[in-house]
Amino acid sequence: MRRPISLYGLTFSLPLLVWQLLFFVFPLVFLVALSFWTVKNFTIRPDFNPVNWVTMFGKPVFWQAYGTTFGLAAAASVLASVVAFPCSYAIAFKLSDSARRMAVFLMVIPFFTSYLVRVYSWQIFLSDAGIVNVMLGAVGLGPYPMLNTVGATMVGYMTLALPLVILLQLFSLVFIDRTLIEAAHNMRCGRIRTVFEVVIPSARVGLVIAALFCFILTFGDFVSPVYLGGGDPTTLSILITDTTKSGQQWPRAAVIALTMIATLLVVAFLSVRFAYAGQAKGSRT
Amino acid sequence: MTQPRFMAQVLNRRSFLATSAAALATPMLSRRAFAAPTELTMLAWYGHAEPDIVAEFEAEHNVKFVPKYYTGGDNMLGLISQSPPGTFDVILSDAEYVQALNAGGFVEELDPEDYALADYFPEFQNFPGNWADGKLFSLVARFGFLGVAYNTDALTEAQAANYNIFWDPKLTGKVGHFDWHLPNLGQMSLLNGNAVPYDIDETAWEAVKEKILTLRPQIGGFFDYGGTFSSLNDGQMLAFAGIGDWITGVLEKNGAKVRSVIPEQGGLQWSECFSIGKGSQKAELAKKWIQYITSAKGQAKSAQMAAYPALIPNQKGWEVLQAENPAEAKRQGMTKDAGNVIDMIRAGRIQYRQWPIQQDLETWNDFWSEYKGA
């Protein structure tokens, strides 16, 4: 039997609906429409012409940038998950409550400063005459080229996503039923094996969602590939700026943006499906 | 209620009204001093409406500039084409975009008699991008050269004075590109021996593409304005294609060990021109601004602009600059000595940066994206 919509429920759900319509659905619809518009003499004109889709999808550089961006975001997600897990595990299981609260606070602090400023500050560390190379030089090593490399881009991605990944993993780990871990230990399951057989499967949803957020953030990031990676290799976000810089080709940029949105939706759908796979059957333990 | 005696003596009704009337009339007597400044909108590259350039004009004419800074010529055209007529009173654009502005009907025709064109070097009196069908639509106010920017600790001027230095093995990973196809591909065209680097046939275009692709392994990055500054300043990039003194001049003045040189294969010239926006309600004031910035005094200021220095086309401006700041005049080559920047133009060492003539702009841009991804 359908429950009637109450005024109480409507009051609380309406702002979310309005928000979604204003800041997601309407811009998305406009973006779709824009991708069919045309540009003549630097002026964008309303149209219904698939030429932008045909042009962009026919360019090898687009697919090259797509592959690069996807690969970098996937690598960042794996790296962030692997680096974050020992940290979030230690915070969840080894620290006292007060120390845990302090650790969470420390994870939140990076969000108080601008990401752009944090990325620029990495240049001081990673340049040839930067802090890292000076320290290496003191022990007779280097200098090693670090800035304007894929490695530096990855450092930027970690700056962006790692604190969030740790927090999301942490929230998942702290809610694991401790009796499961005790039971594993009682059954002579070693510590490492307990992590892989009990902790990770129990926190799977949170771990996958954390990795997914990392993918979403890094897939669309423009700052790190440009200011730490030196714009080389070209990512989709860089390709968007290149496309708009010459000839006011905003409709073609819209094609790239929509492809990115579609990719993220597919990745998010598959990730969530994977995260919850088997849970209905009670296979969580 | 009785009025206090001293008030009654000092301020009777008649004197109160007279004092009030006088007080209210005072602003009318000196209206100019109390009038709010007239706002003049300027569409320009960053720096052109900053106090070091406009403060004197603003004070003289009771004007307040309201700048809208753009990040590139295409961005500028997009802003104009999507704004109602009259939105921008003064428009600064690179010379290659003036004809597009004119074709789009975005700028007013200028009267050459209004400006000190006679004071300009002859090369700039009939500047190609400024005129269409014998009518003046824009006035070049400053220009600069693009060559090889280099770190003076890593390279000597003699070494840098050849585009082939970019392929030097010791610069592997240390050559930067300013991320815009036009200057970079234009320089490669010059290196390939094309006398007019942007007017090349398909064979020459293919050769340019082939040539620059061999440079790709040397490239350490593709940088925007800020990235170009920082990578040159911290020595991350030791040589740069596609830029000139407009960037290295700022760094050099702040102590960085960088300079620019025009290579033996020649350099490119960028030029910035002022126009009056179509439908401007303050066209007369906009005209006065262009008169000011193209006058000897305004030109000397423009040459020393804090955001980025430039060369100036007004000969009397050179004289003012030499009197005000001889070191800067010498640094930029705006002296009467042999080998100055006008001599370089006259010797044929400098070619205008312009849109490709035999290919589409899109063709060049698409190739640039391919090159970046190579």
Side-chain angles (χ1 to χ4, degrees):
Chain A
M1 184 181 162
R2 282 184 69 183
R3 295 172 63 183
I5 299 170
S6 69
L7 184 63
Y8 180 81
L10 203 62
T11 306
F12 281 95
S13 59
L14 205 57
L16 181 66
L17 181 68
V18 171
W19 177 274
Q20 288 288 340
L21 283 173
L22 277 180
F23 296 107
F24 182 69
V25 177
F26 290 158
L28 189 64
V29 169
F30 178 72
L31 207 58
V32 172
L34 182 65
S35 71
F36 291 96
W37 291 10
T38 50
V39 176
K40 195 172 181 185
N41 292 333
F42 297 91
T43 304
I44 303 169
R45 297 168 195 278
D47 202 343
F48 190 76
N49 192 331
V51 66
N52 301 308
W53 291 89
V54 173
T55 303
M56 289 313 296
F57 283 1
K59 284 185 177 186
V61 68
F62 169 79
W63 294 111
Q64 197 175 9
Y66 185 91
T68 300
T69 312
F70 196 97
L72 284 174
S77 304
V78 172
L79 183 64
S81 297
V82 169
V83 171
F85 187 77
C87 182
S88 51
Y89 181 88
I91 296 170
F93 295 110
K94 304 295 179 189
L95 297 186
S96 65
D97 284 351
S98 58
R100 190 181 302 140
R101 277 195 295 275
M102 179 55 72
V104 170
F105 179 66
L106 290 174
M107 288 298 134
V108 173
I109 280 182
F111 295 106
F112 293 178
T113 55
S114 158
Y115 168 52
L116 184 62
V117 171
R118 281 182 284 153
V119 161
Y120 255 111
S121 68
W122 271 115
Q123 291 190 351
I124 300 166
F125 285 85
L126 299 176
S127 67
D128 285 3
I131 293 170
V132 176
N133 270 317
V134 166
M135 289 169 71
L136 289 172
V139 292
L141 297 171
Y144 299 107
M146 287 180 274
L147 193 59
N148 304 321
T149 62
V150 171
T153 302
M154 208 53 76
V155 168
Y157 284 164
M158 293 303 107
T159 306
L160 174 67
L162 192 62
L164 184 66
V165 172
I166 292 173
L167 285 173
L168 289 171
Q169 287 188 353
L170 177 63
F171 294 142
S172 182
L173 291 173
V174 292
F175 289 112
I176 289 177
D177 187 350
R178 303 296 174 106
T179 56
L180 296 175
I181 298 169
E182 286 170 17
H185 288 162
N186 290 341
M187 295 169 77
R188 292 182 170 274
C189 184
R191 287 179 184 278
I192 301 293
R193 194 174 168 202
T194 304
V195 168
F196 284 99
E197 299 279 340
V198 178
V199 175
I200 289 178
S202 301
R204 187 168 70 177
V205 174
L207 301 182
V208 172
I209 296 298
L212 173 63
F213 267 86
C214 181
F215 187 89
I216 291 169
L217 287 173
T218 54
F219 190 72
D221 184 37
F222 173 75
V223 173
S224 288
V226 168
Y227 294 109
L228 293 177
D232 187 15
T234 304
T235 61
L236 286 175
S237 53
I238 293 173
L239 194 60
I240 285 180
T241 59
D242 285 356
T243 308
T244 57
K245 264 196 296 190
S246 190
Q248 282 291 104
Q249 280 294 352
W250 288 96
R252 290 185 191 173
V255 171
I256 304 171
L258 286 167
T259 309
M260 292 173 79
I261 291 169
T263 303
L264 290 177
L265 285 172
V266 170
V267 170
F269 174 77
L270 293 176
S271 300
V272 171
R273 195 172 167 183
F274 170 72
Y276 286 98
Q279 285 212 347
K281 296 172 190 169
S283 62
R284 191 166 174 235
T285 56
Chain B
M1 191 178 165
T2 54
Q3 209 171 29
R5 179 178 279 188
F6 78 93
M7 284 268 308
Q9 286 173 343
V10 174
L11 196 63
N12 59 32
R13 181 170 169 271
R14 186 166 292 175
S15 63
F16 173 77
L17 287 172
T19 308
S20 302
L24 289 169
T26 302
M28 305 303 288
L29 294 173
S30 56
R31 191 170 186 167
R32 186 182 168 82
F34 284 84
T38 305
E39 289 191 343
L40 204 59
T41 51
M42 183 196 284
L43 183 64
W45 286 101
Y46 173 75
H48 283 269
E50 295 304 298
D52 63 306
I53 298 296
V54 300
E56 187 180 76
F57 181 83
E58 285 183 334
E60 276 179 12
H61 295 88
N62 195 29
V63 166
K64 178 69 189 162
F65 273 99
V66 179
K68 173 71 181 172
Y69 292 131
Y70 55 74
T71 54
D74 286 48
N75 178 220
M76 180 266 299
L77 283 173
L79 286 167
I80 291 177
S81 64
Q82 282 146 40
S83 304
T87 302
F88 303 109
D89 299 309
V90 180
I91 297 166
L92 178 91
S93 75
D94 287 326
E96 56 264 52
Y97 288 90
V98 172
Q99 295 303 338
L101 283 175
N102 188 26
F106 299 129
V107 291
E108 298 281 0
E109 185 184 344
L110 305 178
D111 183 351
E113 297 299 318
D114 288 336
Y115 306 99
L117 276 170
D119 292 343
Y120 273 33
F121 285 102
E123 289 77 6
F124 292 91
Q125 290 180 4
N126 291 297
F127 196 64
N130 291 172
W131 299 78
D133 302 328
K135 294 175 180 174
L136 183 68
F137 287 93
S138 185
L139 202 57
V140 58
R142 60 209 306 264
F143 64 100
F145 299 155
L146 307 171
V148 173
Y150 65 100
N151 184 305
T152 53
D153 279 346
L155 299 171
T156 64
E157 183 169 329
Q159 287 174 318
N162 192 314
Y163 288 119
N164 286 310
I165 191 65
F166 293 141
W167 281 263
D168 191 313
K170 75 176 178 185
L171 295 181
T172 301
K174 294 290 175 188
V175 180
H177 273 303
F178 183 64
D179 193 3
W180 188 25
H181 57 88
L182 220 47
N184 289 289
L185 294 175
Q187 289 186 337
M188 288 305 115
S189 185
L190 282 172
L191 174 57
N192 273 6
N194 298 309
V196 185
Y198 297 95
D199 190 4
I200 54 176
D201 62 20
E202 282 309 302
T203 309
W205 168 235
E206 289 302 320
V208 166
K209 292 199 289 186
E210 211 170 288
K211 183 71 181 175
I212 198 169
L213 280 168
T214 65
L215 181 61
R216 188 65 182 83
Q218 292 288 98
I219 300 304
F222 298 83
F223 301 93
D224 64 4
Y225 184 71
T228 302
F229 265 100
S230 60
S231 60
L232 273 172
N233 192 45
D234 59 21
Q236 198 61 33
M237 292 296 126
L238 300 177
F240 237 93
I243 61 166
D245 193 62
W246 70 280
I247 281 186
T248 57
V250 179
L251 292 169
E252 195 180 4
K253 280 197 278 187
N254 287 290
K257 293 177 176 175
V258 292
R259 286 219 76 188
S260 293
V261 63
I262 301 304
E264 60 191 59
Q265 296 91 348
L268 300 170
Q269 179 183 319
W270 58 268
S271 318
E272 291 178 344
C273 313
F274 273 110
S275 305
I276 298 174
K278 195 78 171 180
S280 167
Q281 299 298 305
K282 297 154 193 164
E284 193 59 31
L285 207 48
K287 183 179 83 180
K288 282 183 178 165
W289 163 252
I290 299 177
Q291 286 172 335
Y292 171 81
I293 201 65
T294 55
S295 70
K297 187 168 63 169
Q299 287 276 278
K301 273 188 193 301
S302 188
Q304 304 172 78
M305 193 167 89
Y308 57 105
L311 306 168
I312 47 175
N314 187 317
Q315 303 179 66
K316 290 184 177 171
W318 281 37
E319 290 166 14
V320 174
L321 180 66
Q322 283 174 47
E324 282 181 0
N325 191 347
E328 180 63 8
K330 188 179 177 191
R331 194 191 69 79
Q332 292 207 56
M334 287 189 281
T335 64
K336 290 181 178 170
D337 298 340
N340 65 33
V341 292
I342 293 297
D343 286 345
M344 289 174 75
I345 292 173
R346 288 173 183 166
R349 295 191 59 205
I350 305 296
Q351 303 297 325
Y352 297 129
R353 188 186 67 199
Q354 57 185 307
W355 285 350
I357 293 169
Q358 298 189 42
Q359 296 81 33
D360 291 335
L361 191 60
E362 189 179 332
T363 304
W364 280 44
N365 187 55
D366 284 352
F367 171 70
W368 185 247
S369 292
E370 280 173 36
Y371 171 68
K372 287 170 70 177

